[in-house]
Amino acid sequence: LTSKVLPRSGLWQRNSMRQTTSLMPLPRHVLAMSSRNVSSSLKPLVCSALANAASEDVPFTAKCIRDRKTVTNKTILISRWFLQEKRNMRLCFSSCYSTTILPLQKATGSRSPYKDVRRGFCARRQAPEPTSRPAVTSLSEEELALKEHVSVFAKEVIGPKVREMDDKGEMHPDVIAACFDMGIMGIEAPVEYGGVGLGFTAACVVIEEIAKVDPAVAVMVDIHNTLNITAFNRYATHEQKEKYFPRLCQSSLSSFCLSESGSGSDAFALKTKAEWDEASQEWVLNGTKSWISNSKEAEIFIIFANTNFSEAHKGITAFIVEKSNPGITVGAKEDKLGIRASSTCEVTLENCRVSQDAMLGKRGQGYKMAIELLNEGRIGIGAQMVGLALGAFENTLPYLHERKQFGRTVADFQGMQFQYARALMEIEAAKVLVYNAARLKEAKAPFVMEAAMAKLKATEVAQSTASQCIDWLGGIGFTKGMPAEKYYRDSKIGTIYEGTSNIQLVTIAKQIQAGYKI
């Protein structure tokens, strides 16, 4: 039994998988985990294959697969690797049916050894990709495997530190390092630069799963992926990608610096300026950015500045500035109501000098860049708010089924049933809007209105659900003994950042009007 694989670089080249012709035995732990379920007729063949694979230098150990608490550099995104193994087996069975399955049929006398093999090794014939999905919220095999592993990671690695981080108002360094080790900080980054190479929907899946446990960590992952990784993907030069992508995917957190004290919703009224110094052949940046997420821990900043105020928004340009630059200073953290572990600070630029190579995209392209990135980022915030609502809901319902009043559990009262049934309906409605917008974005179809609707609905549902959860819990919900109060505090930011609710309504209205103009 063989699998088509690439040389062991630790990275999987999805697009070239079909063209690869080298064959080698499947990793021994995959065979070992699967051999328990293989029919007796194939047991000798499986044992033989396991013996042949015994000398293979596999990238991950069986313990790593079984013990999901293990988070090391060698277990970066186990879901990506394990799913690729499943795909490899599927490709192998499809292309090698005549050389593998038929000989097995003759050797074992089984009428359907292919069925046995499929059951034993979780493999199936390669089928063409479906032209349509049964629902926008349905996930591909890759996305589903990613969801399962990130869910476990969030509960076991992030979960124990949530209360401590919230009380202290700071992100634990171990959590940041674990997110990089898990591989979820470069979801859409190309594989050749150290990223995962998955799509935008996969990023939303990760954000949602983490937000169920801690929305503060989710927004850190969201901004890094949906804004900054996307910005480098789309606008960076080849040299910039080679320089920054490995760091962005493996160790360096990033920050998106657009807002200023005088330019919130009117983001393009920014006053930060960039002037060209002919003598030194450098850009000199001066100004102050406000409400900048991830800024305390960030190593790489995307700064938006105006190179020519006479051109208004057409002079806005993006620059890459590193934390080591002496011209950039990160101020004190804001003491916030919610998402307290996520750092929010002022970023001051004082004679901050950068070379021409530090310009991200073209001069004057910053306006268009920010608009496009924020339109996509809104979907990520929607995913965060859906995850928050589900986290609050799932942490509250068990208590309602345990606590008894008047001889019945609280969940048994019809008045309560109406409330939590409606709450889950609203969460599902928000989730459909979010994933519909994500699928449209991936399909390169228009999605601006859908993104605005998704963020608006998801943020409203998150606030409503978190508030109701406290009501359902009663007195204990008002204390820090239950997580509902934190979800409630965290939910409030959703209607404010990356476009307020009114801005979303304006966006939706403009899209509607455009369809009626002659």
Side-chain angles (χ1 to χ4, degrees), residues 161-203:
K161 295 181 174 62
V162 171
R163 181 56 65 183
E164 175 191 352
M165 293 192 298
D166 187 67
D167 290 341
K168 292 183 177 179
E170 62 183 31
M171 191 71 66
H172 200 292
D174 290 350
V175 169
I176 299 174
C179 287
F180 279 105
D181 288 342
M182 187 66 180
I184 57 176
M185 300 304 273
I187 299 169
E188 292 186 87
V191 173
E192 57 266 30
Y193 297 115
V196 179
L198 294 179
F200 184 77
T201 302

Side-chain angles (χ1 to χ4, degrees), residues 332-364:
K333 292 171 57 178
E334 301 288 350
D335 190 9
K336 306 191 300 293
L337 169 71
I339 57 167
R340 290 174 50 79
S342 170
S343 63
T344 305
C345 314
E346 275 193 347
V347 175
T348 302
L349 303 155
E350 188 173 358
N351 293 325
C352 180
R353 293 178 172 272
V354 295
S355 67
Q356 177 65 31
D357 294 339
M359 184 181 290
L360 184 61
K362 298 178 181 178
R363 180 183 172 278

Side-chain angles (χ1 to χ4, degrees), residues 129-386:
E129 287 295 321
T131 56
S132 62
R133 298 176 185 273
V136 292
T137 54
S138 65
L139 302 178
S140 67
E141 289 185 352
E142 284 181 328
E143 293 161 354
L144 187 58
L146 183 62
K147 173 185 173 76
E148 292 171 353
H149 284 292
V150 172
S151 176
V152 173
F153 167 77
K155 292 174 183 175
E156 298 185 355
V157 177
I158 300 173
K161 295 181 174 62
V162 171
R163 181 56 65 183
E164 175 191 352
M165 293 192 298
D166 187 67
D167 290 341
K168 292 183 177 179
E170 62 183 31
M171 191 71 66
H172 200 292
D174 290 350
V175 169
I176 299 174
C179 287
F180 279 105
D181 288 342
M182 187 66 180
I184 57 176
M185 300 304 273
I187 299 169
E188 292 186 87
V191 173
E192 57 266 30
Y193 297 115
V196 179
L198 294 179
F200 184 77
T201 302
C204 291
V205 168
V206 170
I207 293 162
E208 179 190 335
E209 289 305 309
I210 294 177
K212 290 179 183 178
V213 176
D214 191 353
V217 179
V219 74
M220 177 189 75
V221 175
D222 172 37
I223 291 170
H224 186 83
N225 277 285
T226 66
L227 294 181
N228 298 330
I229 291 291
T230 302
F232 276 89
N233 242 339
R234 188 171 299 162
Y235 301 104
T237 63
H238 176 68
E239 291 73 21
Q240 288 172 335
K241 290 179 180 180
E242 285 190 328
K243 180 178 180 180
Y244 290 107
F245 261 144
R247 291 174 57 190
L248 289 168
C249 296
Q250 298 167 16
S251 61
S252 297
L253 192 63
S254 61
S255 195
F256 187 84
C257 305
L258 176 64
S259 297
E260 298 179 7
S261 59
S263 58
S265 293
D266 185 12
F268 302 108
L270 57 86
K271 299 300 181 185
T272 299
K273 62 181 179 180
E275 297 175 301
W276 179 250
D277 183 0
E278 193 66 38
S280 62
Q281 294 290 293
E282 292 177 317
W283 287 98
V284 183
L285 279 59
N286 284 281
T288 301
K289 297 295 182 179
S290 303
W291 312 106
I292 305 304
S293 299
N294 293 355
S295 50
K296 200 68 176 178
E297 302 85 9
E299 298 287 337
I300 299 169
F301 298 81
I302 296 178
I303 307 287
F304 289 84
N306 202 318
T307 59
N308 188 346
F309 285 99
S310 65
E311 297 179 349
H313 67 273
K314 293 182 180 180
I316 297 173
T317 306
F319 296 89
I320 306 167
V321 180
E322 298 196 36
K323 187 177 184 179
S324 58
N325 191 311
I328 188 169
T329 304
V330 178
K333 292 171 57 178
E334 301 288 350
D335 190 9
K336 306 191 300 293
L337 169 71
I339 57 167
R340 290 174 50 79
S342 170
S343 63
T344 305
C345 314
E346 275 193 347
V347 175
T348 302
L349 303 155
E350 188 173 358
N351 293 325
C352 180
R353 293 178 172 272
V354 295
S355 67
Q356 177 65 31
D357 294 339
M359 184 181 290
L360 184 61
K362 298 178 181 178
R363 180 183 172 278
Q365 197 178 19
Y367 171 80
K368 178 177 180 289
M369 182 188 305
I371 287 289
E372 291 180 355
L373 292 172
L374 289 173
N375 282 336
E376 298 171 16
R378 288 168 180 168
I379 306 173
I381 297 299
Q384 179 206 18
M385 290 294 123
V386 167

